[in-house]
Amino acid sequence: MMQSSTTQFLFYSTSPFPRNLTYFPPQNLGFCKYLRYRQRMASFKGSRVKSQFNSGGSSDSSGGEDNFKTLIDFIGKDGENVGEDIVILISHLQYACKRIAAVVSSPFNSVLGKKGFDGSPMGDRDAPKPLDIVSNEIILSSLRNSGKAAVMASEEVDVPVWITDDGPFVVVTDPLDGSRNIDASIPTGTIFGIYNRLEELDHLPIEEKAQLNSLQSGARLIAAGYVLYSSATILCVSFGSGTHAFTLDHTTGDFVLTHPRIKVPPRGQIYSVNDARYFDWPEGLRKYIDTVRQGKGKFPKKYSARYICSLVADFHRTLMYGGVTMNPRDHLRLVYEANPLSFLVEQAGGRGSDGKVKILSIQPVKLHQRLPLFLGSSEDMEELESYGDVQQKINPGYEV
């Protein structure tokens, strides 16, 4: 059966991103000479960056501190110096995420979000959607082209894919988290984690070594990140020495450092959970939520609820503002979601837990193993866990 032109475009378009750059500021400013603009300033390492618009389009390209740093500059030899191999890998991953960002914002995604490739309606809410599959193929293609990934394990595929024998890294990913909400233009995201390939397993059959490499504990992660597709496209990453966020500049196609050395506040004032399930929760979790939203907890202010039902978006807000984001039932995947996000929040000074133990201390036994997940500020997490019984073990009326 012939694929639709939309599907062909999404799968086979290999043109560079972005296609037609419209640089800012425009060369002819006559149309806006009567308008008044507030001077816009930004900061990087405490220094000021002049707005190109207000400086008549001039910019210093000398690479000094008064310039924003791109992701590749930041992790290269003159920055964090994370190593040539991983710079190449990240370069290909960021390209894949730019392509996914373009697909997610395309007018064609509405059709793909509602129907399968054969035109049939998508029923199962957790079944892979066409956009999930497209995103998975984009990431796999980029990892193949990098030559640096031995294995890719994806939430969308039952078994990991062995890519090349000499790739030094293992990549685990949720290619497009939150895709079932895309028709409502709710933010979505890509999550990834990177491990070293276990060379001691090289003698094993391909299927076995691919599986075991992908089942490494989160404590062995060497890098992790997510990309948030929202009002801005933000790539947040850690290589084990702090968490940093980069915003996609659509005029150049670069991810630019906008949030260096993120520190999640030790305590926030926001909890994020689907509290329509309140009566399904165990007593400890109900008591915790009742206490903090009345302002009777260890922090004497009333907490607010904020819930997007998109893990990357809820987590990003928590990383910025503090508090706790959670799913108390056995729903989120340890390998593809819990481990990478726990790595990021811990590198930012927060904590990731299943409600009882540290996420990064859990040894996965299955690729698609699910568990409760609680992420957030260190003091909020400590208070939450002090209530003991916070894991939801029943799921009446809906399926995991």
Side-chain angles (χ1 to χ4, degrees):
M1 180 177 66
M2 293 276 298
Q3 288 180 318
S4 69
S5 58
T6 299
T7 304
Q8 290 175 346
F9 166 78
L10 293 173
F11 268 120
Y12 303 118
S13 175
T14 57
S15 58
F17 178 92
R19 286 187 172 185
N20 299 314
L21 300 181
T22 303
Y23 286 96
F24 185 87
Q27 298 303 308
N28 181 3
L29 301 181
F31 72 93
C32 58
K33 63 184 178 181
Y34 300 109
L35 302 178
R36 293 181 179 271
Y37 291 91
R38 179 172 61 87
Q39 178 73 24
R40 294 175 180 265
M41 307 302 290
S43 63
F44 173 66
K45 291 186 177 179
S47 63
R48 287 186 169 183
V49 183
K50 292 182 178 179
S51 164
Q52 287 188 1
F53 188 94
N54 288 280
S55 61
S58 63
S59 62
D60 178 9
S61 58
S62 62
E65 285 192 354
D66 283 346
N67 288 325
F68 287 115
K69 279 192 175 182
T70 67
L71 170 62
I72 301 305
D73 289 338
F74 181 78
I75 64 177
K77 290 183 179 179
D78 295 330
E80 297 292 290
N81 195 18
V82 298
E84 182 178 350
D85 285 342
I86 201 165
V87 169
I88 293 172
L89 181 70
I90 292 294
S91 177
H92 283 79
L93 272 174
Q94 70 155 359
Y95 173 73
C97 292
K98 292 173 191 176
R99 290 189 65 192
I100 294 171
V103 171
V104 166
S105 63
S106 165
F108 301 117
N109 73 36
S110 178
V111 176
L112 283 178
K114 294 176 181 176
K115 297 183 178 181
F117 289 124
D118 60 356
S120 61
M122 300 299 293
D124 185 353
R125 56 183 279 169
D126 282 335
K129 311 297 188 293
L131 278 173
D132 295 308
I133 298 168
V134 169
S135 301
N136 187 79
E137 290 301 314
I138 288 172
I139 293 176
L140 179 58
S141 174
S142 288
L143 293 182
R144 290 188 192 278
N145 291 336
S146 76
K148 300 301 179 182
V151 186
M152 172 180 143
S154 169
E155 180 178 318
E156 307 306 332
V157 183
D158 290 337
V159 295
V161 177
W162 189 263
I163 299 174
T164 180
D165 289 342
D166 56 359
F169 303 117
V170 176
V171 178
V172 297
T173 182
D174 180 353
L176 191 59
D177 176 75
S179 61
R180 63 187 174 87
N181 292 322
I182 205 164
D183 284 343
S185 295
I186 290 174
T188 54
T190 295
I191 305 171
F192 62 88
I194 302 172
Y195 299 91
N196 285 315
R197 188 187 90 241
L198 299 174
E199 296 183 9
E200 60 269 28
L201 303 178
D202 285 350
H203 67 284
L204 297 174
I206 286 178
E207 294 81 2
E208 188 174 353
K209 64 184 179 182
Q211 180 97 353
L212 293 175
N213 269 287
S214 303
L215 287 174
Q216 296 185 59
S217 164
R220 300 178 67 102
L221 280 164
I222 61 169
Y226 64 81
V227 179
L228 173 66
Y229 310 113
S230 185
S231 55
T233 299
I234 296 176
L235 188 155
C236 186
V237 67
S238 176
F239 298 91
S241 57
T243 297
H244 316 276
F246 303 77
T247 302
L248 181 61
D249 180 352
H250 288 280
T251 64
T252 64
D254 291 322
F255 278 105
V256 177
L257 180 65
T258 49
H259 299 78
R261 296 171 294 278
I262 295 170
K263 291 297 181 185
V264 59
R267 185 175 286 279
Q269 202 175 335
I270 296 172
Y271 71 90
S272 180
V273 65
N274 181 4
D275 56 9
R277 308 301 182 190
Y278 176 89
F279 295 104
D280 299 335
W281 293 346
E283 181 181 355
L285 183 56
R286 291 201 305 269
K287 187 175 180 181
Y288 168 76
I289 295 296
D290 289 342
T291 300
V292 298
R293 65 185 177 189
Q294 293 179 74
K296 297 180 179 179
K298 294 181 179 179
F299 186 58
K301 289 189 177 181
K302 294 180 180 180
Y303 277 46
S304 297
R306 299 286 186 273
Y307 183 60
I308 302 171
C309 193
S310 177
L311 177 59
V312 172
D314 282 317
F315 176 73
H316 182 73
R317 183 195 53 250
T318 302
L319 203 61
M320 296 293 105
Y321 301 149
V324 183
T325 186
M326 66 187 91
N327 190 326
R329 62 192 179 105
D330 290 329
H331 183 70
L332 296 174
R333 292 165 176 84
L334 172 60
V335 172
Y336 310 112
E337 297 166 319
N339 273 337
L341 297 185
S342 294
F343 183 83
L344 286 165
V345 76
E346 291 200 4
Q347 286 297 318
R351 177 175 169 82
S353 164
D354 72 347
K356 293 182 178 180
V357 299
K358 182 178 174 181
I359 289 291
L360 297 183
S361 69
I362 301 173
Q363 174 60 51
V365 295
K366 296 187 296 183
L367 272 177
H368 298 273
Q369 179 176 340
R370 298 179 187 247
L371 78 176
L373 180 61
F374 302 82
L375 301 160
S377 299
S378 56
E379 293 179 14
D380 284 312
M381 288 291 295
E382 181 180 355
E383 183 175 359
L384 168 68
E385 291 175 334
S386 71
Y387 284 78
D389 186 17
V390 296
Q391 295 179 333
Q392 179 183 337
K393 293 302 184 182
I394 58 171
N395 297 280
Y398 58 102
E399 296 181 358
V400 174

